[in-house]
Amino acid sequence: KKLLVSFVLFLFAVSVQAQTDWSKVEIKAQKVSGNVYMLEGAGGNIGVSVGDDGILIVDDQYAPIADKIRAALKGIADKKLRFILNTHWHGDHTGGNVVFGPEAPIIAHDNVRKRMSTEQKSEFFKRTTPASPKEALPVITFNQNLTVHFNGEEIRAIHYPHGHTDGDSVIFFTSSNVVHLGDNFFAGRFPFVDLDSGGNVEGLTKNIGEIIEKIPAGAKLIPGHGPLSTIDDLKTYHNMLLKTTDIV
């Protein structure tokens, strides 16, 4: 299993390092369902709830493209940013926190704040990530689950332990029938499992099996990386995890 994870980490490192020219990044907005949109750019997909209460975003990619993200949000609706949810601590999902944090409260699992507020070391990459500045840290944290009552629906964040990391949350937009899975789901590709951050291959596989049971019929899925997906896509991904783990 260590060989499997090492290969996945290598692919992830290559993909991140390839994206360095921020001026060429384009943010593409896509209507998903109900109140929910998805933004694609560099890094993890952003989920967006838009309505009378304003805007809530799930993850915020990188700080150098925050203005492009802001412009894309304004293109959907000229509303105030009210909340930010982080699915986990990795910089391609939380890098924009430093820009958006002063504007709206950041919400995440307890372990996201713990990891972002302290230096993190990656043995595989031989790399150290410094602690994030105060304005980038989640100010509201939870242990198991949390609900934001916003834009006429319950937006539920549910923690799944020791999968991609030890701080993963899956976000259910209950009325819009949309689920943002963060990096629990790499659509159409191999996952990255961060062992240094409490991730676990078997744990991820188990979590995906449990998530599949919770997803309502007809739901549209926002993966951490990859295109908008369906429950069948997630089942294919889960089957891949099971079979490749057995092979290794």
Side-chain angles (χ1 to χ4, degrees):
K1 293 183 178 68
K2 287 184 178 179
L3 177 61
L4 169 63
V5 175
S6 296
F7 177 65
V8 172
L9 285 168
F10 171 76
L11 293 179
F12 182 81
V14 170
S15 67
V16 170
Q17 291 170 6
Q19 181 56 264
T20 56
D21 189 349
W22 303 114
S23 67
K24 294 182 179 179
V25 174
E26 295 182 11
I27 306 297
K28 298 178 182 178
Q30 179 180 0
K31 178 69 180 286
V32 180
S33 181
N35 299 324
V36 181
Y37 291 75
M38 181 175 84
L39 300 185
E40 296 177 272
N45 292 326
I46 299 174
V48 184
S49 171
V50 178
D52 292 340
D53 295 335
I55 291 176
L56 173 150
I57 59 175
V58 178
D59 294 338
D60 50 28
Q61 298 193 356
Y62 296 101
I65 54 174
D67 286 345
K68 294 185 178 186
I69 294 169
R70 197 189 309 279
L73 293 173
K74 191 171 183 179
I76 298 171
D78 192 6
K79 299 277 188 177
K80 179 178 173 58
L81 179 63
R82 296 284 307 280
F83 294 101
I84 301 155
L85 278 167
N86 289 155
T87 59
H88 61 293
W89 80 273
H90 287 150
D92 61 321
H93 294 257
T94 64
N97 281 14
V98 69
V99 177
F100 296 115
E103 301 176 23
I106 302 168
I107 305 168
H109 184 261
D110 294 338
N111 289 339
V112 175
R113 181 178 171 93
K114 287 177 183 177
R115 291 196 176 276
M116 291 185 69
S117 60
T118 58
E119 182 179 271
Q120 297 296 306
K121 293 184 178 180
S122 171
E123 291 297 326
F124 183 84
F125 290 125
K126 305 300 179 188
R127 183 178 66 195
T128 299
T129 303
S132 299
K134 181 181 178 182
E135 59 268 27
L137 298 177
V139 295
I140 300 171
T141 63
F142 60 94
N143 180 255
Q144 293 298 331
N145 54 69
L146 171 143
T147 301
V148 182
H149 300 266
F150 193 72
N151 286 334
E153 69 179 330
E154 295 182 8
I155 302 173
R156 297 175 183 161
I158 300 176
H159 171 57
Y160 286 87
H162 301 292
H164 174 64
T165 69
D166 62 6
D168 303 323
S169 295
V170 174
I171 315 301
F172 291 79
F173 296 88
T174 55
S175 297
S176 297
N177 203 17
V178 177
V179 184
H180 193 312
L181 288 100
D183 278 2
N184 288 286
F185 185 21
F186 283 64
R189 63 190 79 176
F190 235 39
F192 163 46
V193 179
D194 188 351
L195 301 184
D196 292 309
S197 293
N200 182 278
V201 176
E202 292 94 336
L204 175 64
T205 305
K206 176 177 178 289
N207 291 346
I208 294 298
E210 292 179 1
I211 292 165
I212 287 171
E213 296 300 317
K214 287 183 178 291
I215 292 176
K220 294 186 178 180
L221 310 185
I222 300 176
H225 298 270
L228 191 64
S229 301
T230 66
I231 186 68
D232 287 339
D233 298 321
L234 187 63
K235 287 178 178 177
T236 298
Y237 174 77
H238 184 233
N239 190 47
M240 178 274 292
L241 292 176
L242 289 167
K243 288 187 174 181
T244 53
T245 301
D246 284 345
I247 291 167
V248 174

